[in-house]
Amino acid sequence: MFIGHYGPAFAGKAAVRSVPLWVMFVAVQFMDLLWSVLVLAGIEKVRIVPGLMQGSDLDLFYMPYTHSLAGAAALAVLFGALIALAAGRRRAGVFAACAAAVFSHWLLDLVVHRPDLMIYDGVKAGFGLWRWLWISLPLELISLTLGAWVYVRRVPARRGGNLIFWGFVALLAAVQLYTSFGSPLTSIKGAATTALVAYIVLAGAAALVDLTRAKQAGGA
Ligand SMILES: [Zn+2]
């Protein structure tokens, strides 16, 4: 899953408004950010198999650190603890929201990936909905839209903020469509680098979206 991961980021921000949206954007892709780095470093491994699944050509045969159940849980706790420490107040809520945002990545990946997510030694899980683009693509967009809807209801906007916000959501959907129907992947290094850059740029854009929302008045 790609853009669908941002649904929980929006919902997480709606739940704990003291956390910047860009932090939530990093949280929901934290596993993939590290995956990109570890793939570029040659530590986690993937190969491109054209036509493997309609939704993805990536054979993710070795990613025990970032995408195993234990790895995901550890990264969720680590990220949640770091942000809670930085938060200073309402730390329990911040920890819970950020850790849940990180772990939501694993749950959504579980739905679309082939069985490549390690549960424990030798046992891997994945429901494989990437096999059917007509199922996986709407799922991405539904997750994104549901999160966005919760966000708009809970996070007050400055004047024009909601218009800008829905423009941003449309941009995210367009990025997903480009990924689904654009030119196929040709190199692993290229794929990992593109993912890394995309996650960073989108988190930056989320920081700009934060500027279009009203300051919170003492709430969480
Ligand atoms: Zn992932």
CSV table of all heavy atoms in Angstrom, one decimal, residues 32 67 105 109, ligand 1:
chain,number,residue,atom,x,y,z
A,32,ASP,N,8.5,2.1,5.8
A,32,ASP,CA,9.0,2.1,4.4
A,32,ASP,C,10.2,3.1,4.2
A,32,ASP,O,11.0,2.8,3.4
A,32,ASP,CB,7.8,2.6,3.5
A,32,ASP,CG,7.0,1.4,3.0
A,32,ASP,OD1,7.1,0.3,3.5
A,32,ASP,OD2,6.2,1.6,2.0
A,67,HIS,N,9.6,-4.9,8.2
A,67,HIS,CA,8.3,-5.4,7.9
A,67,HIS,C,7.8,-6.7,8.6
A,67,HIS,O,6.8,-7.2,8.2
A,67,HIS,CB,8.0,-5.5,6.4
A,67,HIS,CG,7.8,-4.1,5.7
A,67,HIS,ND1,8.8,-3.2,5.6
A,67,HIS,CD2,6.6,-3.6,5.2
A,67,HIS,CE1,8.3,-2.1,5.0
A,67,HIS,NE2,7.0,-2.3,4.8
A,105,HIS,N,0.7,1.0,9.4
A,105,HIS,CA,1.4,0.6,8.1
A,105,HIS,C,1.5,-0.9,7.9
A,105,HIS,O,1.2,-1.4,6.8
A,105,HIS,CB,2.8,1.2,8.1
A,105,HIS,CG,3.5,1.0,6.8
A,105,HIS,ND1,3.7,2.0,5.9
A,105,HIS,CD2,4.1,-0.1,6.3
A,105,HIS,CE1,4.4,1.5,4.8
A,105,HIS,NE2,4.6,0.2,5.1
A,109,ASP,N,-0.4,-3.0,5.0
A,109,ASP,CA,0.5,-3.8,4.1
A,109,ASP,C,0.0,-5.2,4.1
A,109,ASP,O,0.0,-5.9,3.1
A,109,ASP,CB,1.9,-3.7,4.6
A,109,ASP,CG,2.7,-2.6,3.9
A,109,ASP,OD1,2.0,-1.8,3.2
A,109,ASP,OD2,3.9,-2.4,4.1
B,1,ZN,ZN,5.5,-1.1,3.7
